[in-house]
Amino acid sequence: MNAARCPLVAANWKLHGSLRFADDWARDFLRRPPPAGIEVLVCPAFVHIAHLARALEGSGVSVGAQNLSEHRDGAFTGEVSAAMLKELGCDYVLVGHSERRRIYRESDEQIAGKLRAAAGAGLKPVLCVGETLAQRRADDTREVLRRQLDAAAPVLSGLAADAFVIAYEPVWAIGTGETATPEQAQQAHAFIRDHLGGLAGGRAADARVLYGGSVKTDNATSLFQMNDVDGGLVGGASLKAEAFADICRAAPPRRD
Ligand code: PGA
């Protein structure tokens, strides 16, 4: 990990939790807060954001959403806008998670719209990219990452490097117990960083690139110590506050 970039460890609770769960989780997590020099983010379901933000108030832990609408307002029943999330206390929002791409058929174009909406409201988007198992087997990993990044490039190239985050999440490693090896993760992250460097001005090369896909207490240290891995996006293992606290501690803190 590059000491100049502050590591970010993010929890994605997906469709789990309750108000009670959020209270218990915050209490347990804050018993052993992470050391300085590591940023922590928790993304619960929309309806738990305000409650969790209150439970974590003053702790320095950020709260984010798992999705947002690409629209600012209007006749879009069931949608939630970036400004609404900002008002609730969100700092970050996940965009283009593979479950959104696959199950809800979000297109690269729609994802670019969501990135634009998030950035326009002062939210930091965490853009998720990654290849499926079939794409990896066909040796298409780079091509897929290039396509996903290029679709986002018109938005990302207008942002400062600390105004967005990329999460590399190989689809075959999400919720499967299969993790990319630290070397596989490093290879993909180096490619992503290199590609970001080619965007306007090259500033984007300093953005943080997280690894996601079956991150657990026993593999976090080896993943987080790779040069281009700036922390993680953690699903299943983040539901246990103590395990997530341990994963946060596996990130080497930024040294200023
Ligand atoms: P996982 O999920 O840690 O359960 O594999 C990661 C994610 O989907 O963000």
Side-chain angles (χ1 to χ4, degrees):
M1 181 165 330
N2 181 315
R5 297 187 295 266
C6 183
L8 173 65
V9 185
N12 174 10
W13 286 359
K14 308 193 181 188
L15 187 53
H16 295 290
S18 63
L19 296 178
R20 174 73 187 275
F21 174 89
D23 283 332
D24 293 348
W25 192 99
R27 183 198 60 220
D28 293 346
F29 183 77
L30 294 178
R31 276 198 189 118
R32 236 163 27 101
I38 296 171
E39 208 182 330
V40 178
L41 164 67
V42 188
C43 301
F46 285 136
V47 291
H48 299 145
I49 289 171
H51 193 81
L52 183 67
R54 269 194 300 278
L56 291 170
E57 204 163 0
S59 68
V61 176
S62 297
V63 176
Q66 299 171 15
N67 183 29
L68 81 165
S69 172
E70 65 271 38
H71 302 290
R72 191 194 301 249
D73 53 21
F76 301 104
T77 301
E79 291 293 276
V80 175
S81 75
M84 291 171 186
L85 295 174
K86 185 74 186 167
E87 192 177 32
L88 275 190
C90 286
D91 300 309
Y92 289 87
V93 59
L94 307 184
V95 176
H97 188 280
S98 63
E99 286 151 18
R100 302 291 323 169
R101 292 179 190 263
R102 181 172 51 86
I103 305 169
Y104 299 99
R105 304 253 175 257
E106 287 188 9
S107 64
D108 281 334
E109 192 184 30
Q110 188 179 10
I111 289 165
K114 291 184 180 213
L115 289 174
R116 195 170 290 110
L123 289 171
K124 295 180 185 178
V126 179
L127 171 66
C128 303
V129 296
E131 80 288 0
T132 62
L133 187 57
Q135 289 164 334
R136 175 162 280 265
R137 285 195 174 136
D139 205 18
D140 277 345
T141 299
R142 286 166 177 241
E143 200 39 53
V144 171
L145 295 177
R146 187 179 296 119
R147 177 176 51 72
Q148 292 172 339
L149 291 170
D150 284 350
V155 186
L156 299 186
S157 56
L159 300 179
D162 61 358
F164 71 95
V165 175
I166 304 289
Y168 169 60
E169 296 207 308
V171 180
W172 48 273
I174 295 178
T176 58
E178 289 268 337
T179 319
T181 63
E183 293 70 28
Q184 283 172 324
Q186 169 56 30
Q187 253 182 19
H189 282 231
F191 174 79
I192 290 168
R193 191 172 305 290
D194 191 56
H195 200 68
L196 288 174
L199 302 182
R203 296 183 306 267
D206 290 328
R208 288 171 294 180
V209 185
L210 313 184
Y211 170 79
S214 298
V215 175
K216 307 245 179 316
T217 45
D218 56 2
N219 60 25
T221 306
S222 56
L223 287 160
F224 293 172
Q225 72 192 12
M226 302 312 281
N227 239 349
D228 288 297
V229 178
D230 302 308
L233 178 54
V234 188
S238 72
L239 295 172
K240 296 242 182 322
E242 294 85 357
F244 185 65
D246 286 340
I247 292 172
C248 291
R249 283 168 184 277
R254 173 163 71 178
R255 301 179 300 274
D256 282 317

